[in-house]
Amino acid sequence: MFEFFSEIKWEYLYDFDLAIDSIPFLLQGLRITMIIAGFSMVFALLIGIVVGIARMSKLAIFRLPAKFYISFMRGTPLLVFVFILYYGLPVIGIEFSSAIVAAIVGVSLNFAAYLAEVVRSSISSVPKGQWEAAETLQMNYFQTLRRIVIPQATRIAVPPIFNIFMDVLKGTSLASVITVQELLYSGRLIAGRTYDSMTMYITVAIIYWLVSVVIGTIQSKLEVRYNRYLAKG
Amino acid sequence: MITVENMKKTFGDQTVLESINFNVNKGEVVCLVGASGSGKTTLLRCLNLLEKPNEGKLKIGSKQVEFGKTKLTKKDIEEIRQYSGMVFQGFHLFPHMTLMENIIEAPLTVKKRDKKVVMEEANEILQKVGLVEHKDKYPDALSGGQQQRAAIARSLMMHPEVLLFDEPTSALDPQLVREVLKVIENLAKEGQTMVIVTHEMNFARRIANRALFMDEGYILEEGPAEKVLTDPREARTREFLALLEDE
């Protein structure tokens, strides 16, 4: 037991000098990560709302494609889907202008499916009485959705949406596989050059974690805001 | 005001309303009474098409629809609903809006009326139901009785020709029932046409012009509220009233 610990080369655990020296380079990678994550969150949410509402439609022409889309995207690994986009599509003559664009498209389309499920479940969790009250006040479907249901569904949806946003952030690291020079890719470059994988990947991990803490803080702020109409305790 | 002819409603193979005929005149207060499962709530919900009857005719205001022959259009439903307002057992106020926001919502969103004018009117109506000092609170901060009075105010803002009440006091603590009944009673005095599903027999006797006693999907007995709810003709009605007395 103690022999195991004594064999560990603690002096190689973390090289602070290297970590600090590499930060400017890593931050350039982080910029790309944030671009992919930011666009993907927005697009995924927009697509998710549309697909989620279509999934609840009474009309099969909306409901069934939405159902298929969600099933396919949830049932395939993001990495495989990104490969289809970036390596597969050029075979049939469709090429993305850059790997970043391919990454944004892949991450958005994939996470949109999860968000669609959140949209659907949070909208259906708004009590039926709310729809009926709005109906008897002569509000139409979209007025009811926009003014009554979505504001209430949003409160319920915030925590799961932000869980997915954190997955989006982490999911962008797969873009490194298709040569996008984002945070993980940048870390890998330095790790390859310095042979200090431990220091570099711990540093990269900490940067992802710090960004996720910021996302979590935004989530808490929103939760307070959306819960303001509930009686305390 | 309302005319119902041969209305029939089934859920699956279960018949809930069996050839219902009745009418409500302008300014009249009609109470629907009967045991649970007798179809009174379903009948009320058929009057604003929250439930779609399978057969028969419904005329409300100057709009008439016929069921079972052709499919109801969105326009039919809209036109029928513009004549009525509804107050639910469970209030169904919009929890994310203050009282004021709750009651000005439909006039602004649906009727696109001027906000200032609507706010003034809202203040008057809130005064009438005794909630002016609570207008900036969220429903969750109010008692059930206050919520129900707010819900009544909300439907009044659309100036319904007829107001439908679905057991408006059944979800309330006993000490809160009176304040809600008082508001309804005042509306009756003002000549508001109302159809009320209720178990409050004393209240019904006092304010209703007519009572309909429903049993297993039929209107078994109909007449002046005093008569039907005090000295009914039918044995079933007497049984029902006796059961309520026992409670």
Side-chain angles (χ1 to χ4, degrees):
Chain A
M1 179 78 183
F2 287 103
E3 272 166 45
F4 171 74
F5 279 107
S6 62
E7 279 168 21
I8 292 176
K9 302 175 196 123
W10 293 106
E11 64 275 23
Y12 294 128
L13 180 64
Y14 199 73
D15 180 348
F16 279 94
D17 293 336
L18 173 63
I20 286 167
D21 285 345
S22 57
I23 276 183
F25 188 73
L26 289 179
L27 288 184
Q28 283 174 33
L30 177 64
R31 200 175 68 89
I32 304 296
T33 291
M34 294 306 284
I35 288 171
I36 300 172
F39 278 110
S40 297
M41 285 174 193
V42 173
F43 290 145
L45 189 57
L46 292 178
I47 300 165
I49 289 170
V50 173
V51 175
I53 290 174
R55 169 77 179 75
M56 288 187 298
S57 173
K58 279 185 219 145
L59 303 175
I61 48 161
F62 293 125
R63 192 180 63 246
L64 295 181
K67 219 173 153 179
F68 169 77
Y69 176 86
I70 293 168
S71 168
F72 180 79
M73 287 300 180
R74 292 212 303 176
T76 50
L78 174 56
L79 186 57
V80 174
F81 185 58
V82 168
F83 276 10
I84 293 174
L85 292 178
Y86 191 67
Y87 298 119
L89 286 184
V91 175
I92 60 165
I94 302 171
E95 218 154 324
F96 286 97
S97 54
S98 76
I100 294 182
V101 176
I104 291 173
V105 170
V107 174
S108 302
L109 289 178
N110 197 271
F111 283 104
Y114 295 91
L115 287 164
E117 285 294 89
V118 171
V119 167
R120 182 176 70 91
S121 65
S122 53
I123 285 181
S124 10
S125 72
V126 173
K128 201 167 143 252
Q130 293 288 307
W131 287 93
E132 290 189 344
E135 263 183 79
T136 61
L137 291 166
Q138 300 164 42
M139 297 175 77
N140 65 32
Y141 178 79
F142 281 104
Q143 287 167 341
T144 307
L145 207 54
R146 183 169 59 84
R147 302 282 309 164
I148 309 301
V149 174
I150 288 179
Q152 293 180 59
T154 307
R155 185 181 73 82
I156 298 158
V158 164
I161 285 178
F162 274 79
N163 273 338
I164 293 172
F165 279 177
M166 290 208 188
D167 283 342
V168 169
L169 171 72
K170 293 181 283 183
T172 60
S173 63
L174 292 178
S176 65
V177 183
I178 55 168
T179 72
V180 176
Q181 197 174 332
E182 40 69 79
L183 178 56
L184 177 58
Y185 193 92
S186 308
R188 242 168 68 194
L189 285 180
I190 303 179
R193 207 171 54 225
T194 60
Y195 300 106
D196 190 349
S197 294
M198 192 64 176
T199 297
M200 279 331 293
Y201 291 133
I202 287 178
T203 309
V204 165
I206 289 172
I207 294 174
Y208 276 116
W209 176 53
L210 289 177
V211 176
S212 82
V213 168
V214 172
I215 295 175
T217 309
I218 296 171
Q219 174 184 347
S220 311
K221 291 244 154 72
L222 282 177
E223 280 182 35
V224 169
R225 202 176 123 195
Y226 282 112
N227 282 329
R228 73 187 182 283
Y229 59 79
L230 297 180
K232 311 280 177 291
Chain B
M1 189 76 245
I2 302 179
T3 310
V4 173
E5 274 176 51
N6 296 317
M7 187 183 274
K8 192 177 168 188
K9 171 70 185 167
T10 56
F11 289 119
D13 53 6
Q14 196 196 351
T15 304
V16 191
L17 295 178
E18 198 92 61
S19 151
I20 299 285
N21 287 284
F22 79 105
N23 59 68
V24 179
N25 300 316
K26 195 167 165 53
E28 223 182 0
V29 178
V30 174
C31 279
L32 293 176
V33 300
S36 49
S38 59
K40 54 196 193 309
T41 289
T42 305
L43 174 54
L44 192 76
R45 289 166 60 86
C46 282
L47 298 180
N48 60 10
L49 304 182
L50 281 181
E51 305 293 349
K52 316 284 187 292
N54 303 79
E55 286 172 30
K57 283 183 195 164
L58 168 65
K59 184 164 189 268
I60 173 164
S62 52
K63 174 72 185 173
Q64 177 167 329
V65 283
E66 211 174 331
F67 308 105
K69 302 233 160 68
T70 49
K71 206 168 175 296
L72 288 175
T73 63
K74 250 188 192 153
K75 193 156 165 281
D76 285 335
I77 297 174
E78 265 171 35
E79 283 176 8
I80 285 280
R81 281 191 184 146
Q82 76 187 16
Y83 292 102
S84 66
M86 192 172 208
V87 175
F88 299 86
Q89 182 178 352
F91 331 133
H92 303 330
L93 290 174
F94 306 132
H96 58 301
M97 297 178 175
T98 65
L99 277 202
M100 182 54 104
E101 289 167 344
N102 258 278
I103 76 171
I104 63 175
E105 174 63 27
L108 297 185
T109 308
V110 177
K111 298 216 164 144
K112 319 275 185 223
R113 291 176 56 196
D114 178 66
K115 187 165 181 185
K116 225 177 129 194
V117 180
V118 172
M119 294 266 284
E120 269 167 35
E121 194 186 321
N123 271 312
E124 274 167 39
I125 288 185
L126 283 175
Q127 193 92 51
K128 210 158 84 175
V129 299
L131 289 173
V132 158
E133 66 274 29
H134 298 297
K135 66 179 174 190
D136 295 320
K137 292 188 181 163
Y138 288 101
D140 208 33
L142 300 175
S143 73
Q146 291 169 326
Q147 290 191 47
Q148 192 60 299
R149 284 186 281 147
I152 295 171
R154 183 177 65 176
S155 12
L156 287 174
M157 287 295 288
M158 294 299 272
H159 304 292
E161 303 261 343
V162 49
L163 207 43
L164 310 172
F165 290 84
D166 183 13
E167 303 198 24
T169 58
S170 298
L172 297 175
D173 292 339
Q175 75 272 19
L176 302 176
V177 168
R178 190 197 292 256
E179 62 185 61
V180 172
L181 295 184
K182 186 81 198 136
V183 168
I184 302 175
E185 196 165 349
N186 287 339
L187 289 174
K189 282 182 191 148
E190 288 172 19
Q192 171 76 49
T193 314
M194 297 187 275
V195 181
I196 307 173
V197 172
T198 185
H199 290 298
E200 298 286 335
M201 290 305 144
N202 289 327
F203 165 75
R205 279 185 205 108
R206 203 166 62 237
I207 77 149
N209 303 99
R210 267 192 303 143
L212 309 183
F213 175 73
M214 290 195 67
D215 189 46
E216 294 180 350
Y218 290 96
I219 295 178
L220 193 65
E221 184 163 359
E222 174 183 358
E226 263 310 323
K227 173 88 173 92
V228 175
L229 303 177
T230 318
D231 178 23
R233 187 185 65 225
E234 300 288 333
R236 295 283 302 202
T237 320
R238 273 200 295 277
E239 257 170 56
F240 171 74
L241 291 173
L243 269 175
L244 284 188
E245 295 301 322
D246 286 349
E247 288 171 8

